[in-house]
Amino acid sequence: MTEPFFALTRDPRLSPHATSATAAWLWSADGTWILWANASGAALFGAANPLALLEKSFAGHDLAAQIAGIAAALPDAGTSRHERLTGANHNAALACTCTRITVDGASALLVVAD
């Protein structure tokens, strides 16, 4: 799992966020898995590091439904919109920019805290 994670870190759509103090995540389009995160994003979920966060399933979590709904509503890869996510930071609303992207032929949602 570490090699795909580091390959994603080199992706030009994610690399600007890799060392940012602003939390960022790449979610599977169905919202059940985080495919990539930076250290700030991992810390927001209480994970020791980004790789530890990748092991957590969000299946059945309210946040998974929110992510899936946003991903489904964005019409094209590269389309962004601002959202308020709940459940990411101890149920406080978190303002984010959400962008649908394609990674290895699969749809994913890049979420960056504002």
Side-chain angles (χ1 to χ4, degrees), residues 49-109:
N49 58 59
L51 289 174
L53 184 58
L54 304 185
E55 299 173 2
K56 178 178 174 58
S57 171
F58 288 85
H61 193 285
D62 289 343
L63 191 53
Q66 290 176 64
I67 295 295
I70 294 166
L74 289 172
D76 298 320
T79 302
S80 298
R81 84 176 181 207
H82 295 283
E83 293 287 340
R84 289 202 173 279
L85 299 177
T86 56
N89 189 11
H90 308 290
N91 291 323
L94 180 65
C96 298
T97 300
C98 301
T99 307
R100 191 169 140 195
I101 65 173
T102 301
V103 178
D104 294 331
S107 183
L109 190 68

Side-chain angles (χ1 to χ4, degrees), residues 26 29-31 34 41 50 63 92 95 106 110:
L26 181 66
D30 67 0
I34 292 177
L63 191 53
L110 174 61

